[in-house]
Amino acid sequence: MKIGMVRRMRGRSLLLLPLLAASLALPAGPARADSVPVRTIETHVLPIGQYTLGTITKQGVAALRTVRTRAVEDDGAQVALETVGPAARFAKKASVASATAQPASRLAAGQRAAAAVTYPAPARTMTAAECRTALGSSNKFFLKSRFAVCSGASFLQTWLQNGRPVGESMFNVMTVGTIAENTRQIQFEIPA
């Protein structure tokens, strides 16, 4: 019985050899490479408000080049230019000063001496609307006071097929950091 099985297997393997040789001679991959679309996704991080969703899809490759240029300018993790102490070593410092809260009123020259002695209590709270308004379309950081700060970024995903934009998606992230009175603990909130 074993001899018959070996003969049958030999016969089949002999028939398969020409097929195996023919398959090795065929090129690897699809017969027409140009029929298979190449799909990629690019992700760029920009300041909040600097980009309007749909611009790349409507304007095409030229708008994508603009976004790439803006993203390269702001590439990498950064800390606010005003950061001091151990936190300043976390990442490279931003090259642009943070947006800051403007004084409530401008004092006359004679009132400046009195104002230098008594300062109003610094702000310890910040709303998401305040943060968004202060960040505008070019600032990465906003310092309302030393006890209330925020940062934000837009994450843009561009969907490409054969190098051409076919879609995009985006989400924004803002973080508000506050320190309550009589504490050294900072609270971070990601507003909805």
Side-chain angles (χ1 to χ4, degrees):
M1 264 183 153
K2 289 183 181 179
I3 294 172
M5 289 172 76
V6 170
R7 282 186 188 157
R8 280 188 220 142
M9 290 175 66
R10 282 186 186 165
R12 286 185 186 156
S13 64
L14 290 176
L15 291 174
L16 294 176
L17 282 177
L19 293 174
L20 180 62
S23 68
L24 292 175
L26 293 175
R32 295 180 58 190
D34 59 336
S35 67
V36 178
V38 177
R39 296 181 179 119
T40 56
I41 300 172
E42 289 185 15
T43 300
H44 303 284
V45 181
L46 301 166
I48 286 180
Q50 194 172 74
Y51 180 78
T52 303
L53 190 61
T55 303
I56 292 175
T57 307
K58 291 175 189 169
Q59 296 178 2
V61 178
L64 180 59
R65 275 190 227 115
T66 302
V67 167
R68 286 175 180 158
T69 303
R70 288 179 187 169
V72 168
E73 291 169 357
D74 295 330
D75 192 30
Q78 295 179 347
V79 295
L81 182 64
E82 299 81 7
T83 306
V84 295
R89 292 187 298 252
F90 169 71
K92 74 176 189 175
K93 288 188 176 185
S95 59
V96 178
S98 302
T100 55
Q102 296 298 320
S105 64
R106 303 275 182 201
L107 300 175
Q111 295 174 325
R112 285 191 188 135
V117 177
T118 59
Y119 289 106
R124 293 182 177 270
T125 61
M126 183 185 312
T127 65
E130 282 179 300
C131 177
R132 176 66 189 90
T133 301
L135 289 176
S137 63
S138 59
N139 297 310
K140 286 187 166 190
F141 306 99
F142 169 59
L143 306 174
K144 185 175 181 182
S145 74
R146 64 182 185 228
F147 301 114
V149 298
C150 77
S151 180
S154 292
F155 294 81
L156 170 67
Q157 296 79 34
T158 307
W159 307 78
L160 305 168
Q161 183 168 314
N162 296 332
R164 299 221 173 265
V166 293
E168 54 192 333
S169 58
M170 182 174 73
F171 63 93
N172 296 325
V173 176
M174 283 190 314
T175 304
V176 176
T178 57
I179 300 175
E181 197 167 355
N182 297 324
T183 183
R184 291 182 169 206
Q185 186 176 24
I186 188 166
Q187 297 292 321
F188 291 101
E189 178 187 354
I190 299 175

